[in-house]
Amino acid sequence: MERISTFIKHTLIILSLLFMQSCSAQSTLIADEKETVSVENLQYYLYFPKEYEEVKDKKFPLPLFLHGGGEAGGTLEDLKTNGPPKLLAEGKEFPFLILAPQNPYKKKWWNTRAVMQLLDTIIEANRVDIDRIYLTGLSRGGGAAWELAVQYPDKFAALAVVCGMTPVPYAAWINKNMPIWVFHGTEDQSIPISESEEMVAKLKAMGYDVTFTRYDGVGHNAWVRAYNTEELYEWFMNQKRTKE
């Protein structure tokens, strides 16, 4: 029994020493680098006005339109339910190109980096006036439009947002020389009008050129009235990019 007791004692001492050694081991911070690759498949509509083929040496303005959540994750035909694609499907003609990509995910935000890569590809392959690229979007696409205006302040000549969530803390990152037009319904239950009110107030306080159109009694579908406003497209055509 004494030998067994001694063995147990020795074993406990060894285990205690091992435990103390493991406790004394220090954590390690490693600095490393890994290149990541993200691939996005974006379907899109690209509209060309009649004059594009008639006047071969002319460059044209191009609005980039970003749809809302209702058109995400389906087929391209879904884009024709709202905004400029709907007007085009109904036969309306515009004096500029229109790029309308589709968010492939029903419940994900727009991949704005992928959108910009698509836009740059379209610009390179077509006769686009790079000083007259306009940005517009509704609902979830309106939020993405604000995001693009913040992240790429020198890219766009004008911004029109309909009931989109706003990046108020980063308002100052937007190009101060870019005119902005905001639309929102007072009875919006999805994205409250306070989102736009706060952003517009912040921008105006910093001296930005902002027009704010409030639709009294209108809910989340303020885009119906906004994109049927002929003055919006005339306003776009009067804008030209001015760098800070």
Side-chain angles (χ1 to χ4, degrees), residues 12 24 45 70 122 127 130 149 188 191 208-209 217 221:
L12 290 173
S24 64
Y45 281 126
I122 296 300
R127 301 197 311 275
I130 62 172
D188 194 330
I191 301 177
Y208 282 72
D209 177 11
N221 65 340

Side-chain angles (χ1 to χ4, degrees), residues 4-222:
I4 294 175
S5 178
T6 302
F7 175 78
I8 292 175
K9 288 181 180 179
H10 288 166
T11 302
L12 290 173
I13 291 171
I14 293 171
L15 290 174
S16 296
L17 291 172
L18 290 173
F19 177 76
M20 291 175 64
Q21 288 178 355
S22 65
C23 289
S24 64
Q26 298 184 12
S27 61
T28 304
L29 176 64
I30 298 176
D32 202 350
E33 182 176 336
K34 174 66 178 179
E35 181 181 4
T36 60
V37 179
S38 177
V39 178
E40 192 73 271
N41 182 35
L42 292 177
Q43 299 186 81
Y44 62 90
Y45 281 126
L46 181 59
Y47 168 78
F48 291 88
K50 290 180 179 179
E51 191 182 3
Y52 189 87
E53 291 301 325
E54 296 172 354
V55 186
K56 299 293 186 180
D57 59 347
K58 180 180 178 180
K59 292 188 176 182
F60 290 78
L62 183 148
L64 167 64
F65 168 72
L66 303 178
H67 63 74
E71 295 80 62
T75 67
L76 268 179
E77 284 293 313
D78 295 334
L79 268 64
K80 296 179 180 180
T81 58
N82 290 305
K86 180 177 187 295
L87 298 176
L88 290 171
E90 294 171 347
K92 183 174 178 59
E93 296 184 356
F94 291 98
F96 40 64
L97 281 73
I98 299 176
L99 174 60
Q102 183 180 40
N103 180 352
Y105 304 106
K106 191 68 178 177
K107 293 185 177 181
K108 284 187 180 182
W109 302 118
W110 279 91
N111 182 338
T112 52
R113 181 174 294 184
V115 170
M116 288 303 296
Q117 291 176 0
L118 172 63
L119 175 60
D120 287 339
T121 299
I122 296 300
I123 291 171
E124 184 177 353
N126 300 280
R127 301 197 311 275
V128 176
D129 186 342
I130 62 172
D131 290 323
R132 301 176 73 191
I133 299 172
Y134 311 123
L135 176 60
T136 184
L138 64 89
S139 191
R140 193 189 306 177
W146 280 119
E147 182 182 342
L148 286 170
V150 166
Q151 295 185 349
Y152 304 90
D154 296 326
K155 190 72 172 182
F156 304 99
L159 168 67
V161 179
V162 185
C163 60
M165 290 187 295
T166 59
V168 176
Y170 302 98
W173 291 16
I174 296 174
N175 187 343
K176 197 170 185 178
N177 296 318
M178 180 182 68
I180 301 169
W181 195 344
V182 179
F183 302 82
H184 218 125
T186 60
E187 305 304 315
D188 194 330
Q189 300 300 310
S190 298
I191 301 177
I193 193 173
S194 57
E195 283 277 331
S196 291
E197 288 175 333
E198 188 176 356
M199 187 66 169
V200 168
K202 180 72 175 290
L203 290 168
K204 285 188 173 182
M206 294 187 295
Y208 282 72
D209 177 11
V210 186
T211 300
F212 187 24
T213 298
R214 301 163 55 101
Y215 294 126
D216 292 333
V218 174
H220 191 49
N221 65 340

